[in-house]
């Protein structure tokens, strides 16, 4: 049954991004800040070490000046000739070492904050994705979404570790250098440096803002290509069935070609940015050295002053170049983080009511009271459906495909909320209890069983994590799959493959049955639970399921009528309405829709 889309929405003020409009960079930073501030003392310590590193770095050119000027001492003073340069050289080495030491201390102290913030965000996104509605997961593209999360997590590391906490220390270094130039020389050096700095920043910001769209486009095309590749590989057998390997390769290559074009545009704009930055730096450096050279010629400055200014400019060149990279990285990282926060801010269509309490199940009576539902307003699926499953009884629902049978199970699990009416378990409206407790009370064997790419034991034990091997084997025996598992070389350690593709349909179905039996909930749903089994296994498992259902409230959704003849009540659905209800014999006696379906299936068999 096809599911239809929902309008992207968010409860956050920054929600426009979820509708395709990126939030402002400042909003993204504000969104990120609380995760980082959880490690505020480490942040402060890291900043302190970084400031110490910058102070040591600025002190190096001052020592170089003193060392060069000291070399001009008269040879008649041998003590000063050797002691002064030696002391300056030792101080120079100490400052260089302190620069590296403070930098490494910063990295050491801040590593926990960086990794902790990234871990917290990634876990929160993961939890939120599991909390989103079934509608979202039916619409999403797995490859693109996982790529967005991967890039977002990496961007958090980049933004925090290498970008965000270098800005303030770098500005401090600029302030120290400008103050030094103004105090020791004149404001001409300050104005040249400021002019180069302002020109550099203005050029970098302008060009980077222009080229950010190329990066964003690259991300979109990368996610699309990745989604296509993952989708094709997940449907490997379908590709082979229709001999469409070349078709899939061409489709993937088209996406790669679009990505290549966007990447070339991005690289061209990056080369333009780098060239312009180097031109501004070179112009400022030449102007500074020309003025310093004139000062030495005029006798206003020493040779040591010239060396110091040259060293200061070289040291300024490095962080200035880093500021350009920094701004580009921040813009790119914010773009990637924005994608991840967009996922995090996606509104939960089905959420626990304020003050919701756990479901209390003593007698697990299930009631559907005038339930209507539609996946979209223009297409109603259920029309005022009412029925009751008494505690410990079994009710079966039959009918043609598209009648709304499986929708009943999804509503009972609260994957969606009803459009009208209500569903109760033990007299409690399921919208007023926590979803966790609701789903803990229900077990399901779905029609389409998808397994984790792990061992058989893991997939059965998923019904009750922490169950012992003996309990897992007992559930497997009840589902008539233990003999098959024991006959495999690795037994319960056998890997089932992606989505369980290494197992047959019947084997997967029996693993799903064992998983639900292990969970042992008070309410059971069998949604075409034996549809993939042969007749012999179907009869064996049906007998076992009837035994398991004793004393449990059970909803059986079936296409084969032979599997529901023992149900306490059978509901016949057509076009979202219950058209008949009663026991198997009563429905046959009525000679209506059920009787016609029974006759058709019996003649086919």
């Amino acid at each position: 049954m096809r599911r239809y889309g929902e309008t992207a929405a968010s409860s956050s003020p920054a929600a426009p991004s979820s509708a395709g409009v990126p939030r402002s960079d400042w909003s993204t930073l504000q969104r990120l800040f609380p995760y980082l501030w959880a490690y505020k003392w480490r942040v402060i310590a890291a900043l302190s070490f970084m400031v110490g590193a910058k102070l040591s770095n600025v002190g190096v050119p001052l020592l170089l000046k003193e060392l060069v000027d000291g070399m001009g001492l008269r040879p008649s003073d041998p003590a000063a000739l050797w002691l002064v340069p030696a002391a300056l050289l030792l101080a120079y080495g100490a400052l260089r070492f302190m620069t590296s030491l403070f930098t490494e201390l910063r990295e050491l102290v801040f590593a926990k904050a960086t990794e902790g913030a990234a871990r917290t965000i990634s876990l929160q996104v993961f939890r939120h994705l599991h909390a989103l509605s079934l509608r979202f997961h039916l619409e999403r593209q797995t490859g693109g979404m996982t790529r967005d999360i991967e890039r977002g997590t990496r961007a958090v590391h980049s933004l925090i570790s290498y970008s965000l906490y270098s800005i303030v220390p770098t500005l401090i270094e600029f302030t120290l250098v400008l103050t030094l130039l103004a105090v020791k020389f004149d404001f001409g050096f300050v104005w040249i440096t400021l002019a180069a700095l302002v020109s550099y920043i203005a050029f970098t910001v302008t060009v980077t803002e222009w080229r950010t769209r190329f990066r964003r486009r690259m991300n979109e095309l990368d996610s699309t290509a990745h989604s296509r590749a993952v989708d094709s590989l997940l449907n490997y057998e379908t590709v082979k069935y229709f001999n469409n390997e070349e078709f899939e390769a061409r489709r993937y290559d088209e996406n790669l070609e679009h990505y290549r074009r966007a990447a070339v545009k991005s690289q061209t704009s990056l080369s333009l940015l780098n060239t312009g930055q180097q031109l501004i730096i070179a112009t400022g450096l030449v102007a500074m050295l020309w003025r310093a050279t004139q000062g030495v010629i005029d006798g206003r400055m020493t040779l040591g002053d010239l060396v110091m200014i040259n060293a200061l400019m070289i040291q300024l060149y490095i962080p200035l170049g880093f500021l350009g990279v920094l701004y580009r990285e921040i813009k790119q990282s914010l773009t990637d983080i924005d994608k991840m926060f967009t996922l995090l801010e996606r509104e939960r269509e089905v959420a626990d009511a304020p003050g919701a309490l756990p479901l209390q199940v003593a007698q697990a009576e299930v009631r559907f009271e005038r339930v209507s539902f539609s996946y979209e307003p223009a297409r109603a699926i259920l029309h005022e459906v009412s029925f009751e499953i008494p505690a410990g009884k079994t009710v079966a629902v039959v009918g043609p495909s598209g009648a709304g049978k499986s929708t009943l199970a999804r509503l009972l699990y609260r994957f969606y909320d009803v459009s009208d009416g209500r569903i109760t378990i033990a007299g409690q409206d399921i919208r007023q209890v926590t979803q966790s407790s609701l789903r803990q009370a229900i077990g399901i064997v779905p029609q389409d069983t998808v397994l984790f790419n792990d061992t058989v034991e893991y997939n059965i034990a998923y019904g009750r994590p922490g169950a012992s091997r003996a309990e897992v084997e007992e559930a497997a025996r009840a589902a008539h799959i233990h003999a098959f598992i024991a006959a495999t070389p690795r037994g319960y350690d056998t890997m089932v493959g992606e989505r369980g593709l290494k197992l047959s349909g019947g084997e997967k179905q029996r693993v799903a049955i064992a998983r639900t039996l292990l969970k042992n909930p008070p309410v059971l749903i069998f949604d075409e639970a034996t549809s993939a089994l042969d007749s012999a296994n179907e009869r064996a498992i049906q007998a076992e399921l009837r035994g398991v259902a004793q004393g449990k409230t059970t909803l059986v959704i079936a296409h084969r009528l032979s599997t529901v003849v023992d149900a306490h009540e059978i509901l016949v659905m057509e076009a979202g309405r219950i058209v008949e209800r009663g026991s198997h014999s009563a429905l046959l006696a009525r000679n209506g829709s059920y009787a016609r379906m029974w006759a058709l299936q019996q003649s086919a068999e």
Side-chain angles (χ1 to χ4, degrees), residues 213-339:
R213 58 178 178 169
F214 298 126
R215 168 72 180 193
R216 200 179 299 275
R217 179 63 176 161
M218 281 177 60
N219 284 353
E220 293 171 354
L221 293 173
D222 182 40
S223 295
T224 300
H226 189 66
S227 295
R228 291 280 172 85
V230 170
D231 192 42
S232 178
L233 292 173
L234 287 177
N235 291 281
Y236 168 84
E237 292 184 35
T238 304
V239 174
K240 289 293 184 182
Y241 290 152
F242 294 94
N243 197 32
N244 276 340
E245 294 91 341
E246 283 303 314
F247 170 76
E248 291 294 332
R250 285 196 304 273
R251 193 171 70 143
Y252 183 51
D253 187 49
E254 287 175 4
N255 286 278
L256 292 179
E257 173 61 17
H258 292 316
Y259 177 80
R260 183 194 66 82
R261 292 176 184 175
V264 169
K265 289 181 181 179
S266 179
Q267 182 57 49
T268 302
S269 63
L270 177 60
S271 299
L272 174 63
L273 177 61
N274 288 337
T275 302
Q277 289 173 336
Q278 297 306 314
L279 179 61
I280 293 171
I281 290 295
T283 302
L285 183 60
V286 169
M288 288 287 285
L289 291 180
W290 175 80
R291 187 174 182 83
T293 302
Q294 288 296 317
V296 173
I297 293 173
D298 295 341
R300 293 179 286 104
M301 299 173 62
T302 65
L303 192 59
D305 291 329
L306 176 62
V307 172
M308 183 184 73
I309 290 175
N310 183 60
L312 283 173
M313 291 306 297
I314 291 174
Q315 288 189 180
L316 277 181
Y317 170 81
I318 296 174
L320 198 57
F322 177 71
L323 275 179
V325 175
L326 175 65
Y327 185 75
R328 292 195 301 269
E329 286 298 318
I330 286 177
K331 293 295 293 184
Q332 293 172 1
S333 296
L334 289 172
T335 299
D336 295 338
I337 292 174
D338 176 54
K339 283 271 190 179

Side-chain angles (χ1 to χ4, degrees), residues 498-543:
E498 189 84 34
R499 297 183 301 144
L501 291 178
K502 290 185 179 180
L503 303 180
S504 69
E507 290 158 358
K508 287 198 298 182
Q509 204 89 15
R510 282 179 284 170
V511 168
I513 292 170
R515 183 166 57 190
T516 301
L517 295 176
L518 184 62
K519 184 179 181 180
N520 192 29
V523 179
L524 291 174
I525 301 174
F526 298 124
D527 187 358
E528 303 282 3
T530 59
S531 60
L533 303 180
D534 55 68
S535 298
N537 277 316
E538 180 185 20
R539 284 192 294 270
I541 292 180
Q542 280 295 335

Side-chain angles (χ1 to χ4, degrees), residues 456-470:
V456 173
E457 181 180 12
Y458 176 87
N459 277 281
I460 295 177
Y462 201 79
R464 180 155 51 88
S468 67
R469 170 64 72 88

Side-chain angles (χ1 to χ4, degrees), residues 155-208:
V156 171
H157 284 86
S158 176
L159 189 64
I160 295 175
S161 298
Y162 304 110
S163 303
L164 196 58
Y165 287 93
S166 296
I167 294 177
V168 173
T170 302
L171 291 178
I172 291 174
E173 184 172 7
F174 275 117
T175 303
L176 290 172
V177 170
L178 291 177
T179 303
L180 184 63
L181 291 173
V183 171
K184 289 188 69 67
F185 306 110
D186 59 64
F187 274 90
F189 292 100
V190 175
W191 296 126
I192 292 173
T193 305
L194 280 175
L197 175 62
V198 171
S199 300
Y200 183 94
I201 292 176
F203 177 78
T204 300
V205 171
T206 301
V207 176
T208 303

Side-chain angles (χ1 to χ4, degrees), residues 2 22 30 34 128 135 175 194 271 313 315 319 395 429 500 556 586:
R2 184 181 176 187
Q30 285 181 311
H128 186 71
R135 195 193 309 270
T175 303
L194 280 175
S271 299
M313 291 306 297
Q315 288 189 180
V395 169
D429 191 326
V556 178

